[in-house]
Amino acid sequence: MDPTPTDQSLARSRSIGVGQALVAYLFWGFGTGIYFKILDHVNAFELLAWRVLAGLPVMLILLALPPGYGRIRDAFRGRGATLLLSSSTILITINWFTFIFAVVTGRLVEASLGYYINPLVSVLLGRIFLGERLTPLQKKAIGIAGIGVIVFIWSTLSNLEGKGGGTGGSLIDLPWIAITLPISFGLYGLCRKKMRADAVSGLTIEMLMLLPFMLALEFFLAQRGETSLLKIDLKTDLLLFVGGVVTVLPLVAFAAAARRLRLTTIGILQYIAPTCQFFLAITFFGEDITPSKVAAFVLIWLAVGLYGIDAWRTSRRPELDAA
């Protein structure tokens, strides 16, 4: 039997959704990392500021599209809406800065590890805060991922002890990036799940909340002579202004894909980004990865595999029940 027009349109919509998701994850995996690596001579705090200063105008243009600016008012309706939006703003700021710091200091491998375990952290947060039940495979995946993180931390500490005659390095060298990224983004997703704001209005509000602080931060850095805008070259200035597009483009593509695809499909595709980051770090950026860190990644990849199998089984269950 030939597929009906409805079947054809559904298949076409899913194909478009997969393409949009690939744009988002490949951009997050390659584009964002390369962008910040090119600007690694710029103060990390200034890079954070320009994500907002250059991104907000783009978001305001997108917000003007139907259904329009009324979404801002709707986002603040409901009990605790302001607290949720304020919390999500703090969390996304922490996440953005941590990733920027990871790239400009040559620690993208650690960042990719954090984004690998992010979905597992989200599952765990759902169990703790939303009362969602964990499947046996999810429990195993979280346990194996936890062991992987411990191995990675042990490897990092061992390397630090071997530096400078056993001085142990500094606190900034500890593997906090791999922990901060998934926890901050997991809690951010939890806040977004509970609020009324959609992707565009939510990010616009977050940037509006951050605007006075980012302006103050840029002014503070200028007073200390630590800004790069109009001081280095035209290329740097242009790239700082492009930061808004770098922030917004993958988000818009992701939001469009999320409307066309099942969450299970999105959940599997999201591992494209950390895989690209890992590949980028060890090939083009030349970051070192020790055998013990490889072992940690193998454990994380095993946990990811179990999570993927569980997600696939869950997506198949309605079909099996209907058979």
Side-chain angles (χ1 to χ4, degrees):
M1 177 182 295
D2 293 333
T4 65
T6 300
D7 294 331
Q8 291 177 345
S9 61
L10 181 60
R12 183 173 181 274
S13 177
R14 287 177 176 172
S15 297
I16 294 173
V18 170
Q20 291 167 331
L22 287 175
V23 169
Y25 289 124
L26 287 173
F27 197 96
W28 276 325
F30 286 121
T32 306
I34 293 172
Y35 170 79
F36 287 119
K37 191 66 175 179
I38 293 173
L39 289 172
D40 61 1
H41 58 285
V42 178
N43 187 296
F45 285 104
E46 185 173 18
L47 290 175
L48 173 65
W50 278 101
R51 291 200 80 164
V52 175
L53 299 178
L56 182 57
V58 180
M59 294 307 304
L60 290 174
I61 292 173
L62 292 176
L63 193 65
L65 301 175
Y69 289 105
R71 286 177 284 178
I72 294 286
R73 181 179 60 255
D74 294 338
F76 283 97
R77 289 177 179 174
R79 186 177 181 182
T82 301
L83 178 60
L84 280 173
L85 286 164
S86 300
S87 299
S88 69
T89 299
I90 295 171
L91 289 166
I92 197 61
T93 304
I94 293 172
N95 186 270
W96 280 350
F97 178 78
T98 302
F99 181 77
I100 292 170
F101 183 85
V103 175
V104 301
T105 57
R107 296 171 68 174
L108 187 56
V109 165
E110 192 175 337
S112 71
L113 175 70
Y115 281 123
Y116 269 121
I117 66 177
N118 177 69
L120 301 176
V121 171
S122 296
V123 169
L124 185 60
L125 290 174
R127 176 68 182 92
I128 296 172
F129 293 100
L130 302 178
E132 297 176 354
R133 297 181 62 182
L134 299 179
T135 66
L137 273 181
Q138 286 176 339
K139 291 178 181 178
K140 291 178 182 178
I142 291 173
I144 293 172
I147 296 173
V149 172
I150 291 173
V151 171
F152 191 89
I153 292 173
W154 173 81
S155 171
T156 304
L157 292 176
S158 298
N159 290 339
L160 290 178
E161 289 176 359
K163 293 180 180 179
T167 59
S170 62
L171 290 176
I172 202 69
D173 295 320
L174 295 176
W176 58 275
I177 293 173
I179 298 173
T180 302
L181 282 175
I183 291 178
S184 61
F185 201 73
L187 289 173
Y188 176 75
L190 186 65
C191 290
R192 294 303 298 265
K193 186 177 178 66
K194 287 178 168 290
M195 67 177 63
R196 297 171 59 94
D198 60 21
V200 174
S201 61
L203 185 58
T204 304
I205 292 170
E206 288 160 0
M207 286 187 172
L208 284 169
M209 287 183 169
L210 285 172
L211 181 61
F213 299 100
M214 295 300 104
L215 287 172
L217 176 59
E218 185 70 6
F219 179 77
F220 173 76
L221 292 173
Q223 291 293 102
R224 293 172 56 92
E226 297 179 7
T227 55
S228 298
L229 184 67
L230 303 178
K231 290 185 178 181
I232 298 181
D233 52 33
L234 180 61
K235 175 185 174 182
T236 298
D237 297 339
L238 292 176
L239 284 173
L240 288 174
F241 286 114
V242 170
V245 177
V246 171
T247 299
V248 173
L249 175 62
L251 176 66
V252 173
F254 172 78
R259 289 194 295 267
R260 296 176 182 270
L261 300 176
R262 292 182 300 180
L263 288 177
T264 303
T265 305
I266 290 291
I268 299 301
L269 290 174
Q270 69 183 321
Y271 290 109
I272 292 174
T275 301
C276 294
Q277 292 167 0
F278 181 79
F279 175 79
L280 194 65
I282 64 174
T283 54
F284 294 98
F285 294 173
E287 294 186 20
D288 295 327
I289 180 166
T290 62
S292 53
K293 286 185 178 179
V294 171
F297 268 95
V298 169
L299 289 170
I300 297 298
W301 290 330
L302 176 59
V304 167
L306 292 177
Y307 174 81
I309 291 172
D310 182 76
W312 180 78
R313 285 183 178 178
T314 301
S315 68
R316 293 277 296 171
R317 190 167 295 132
E319 298 178 13
L320 295 175
D321 293 341

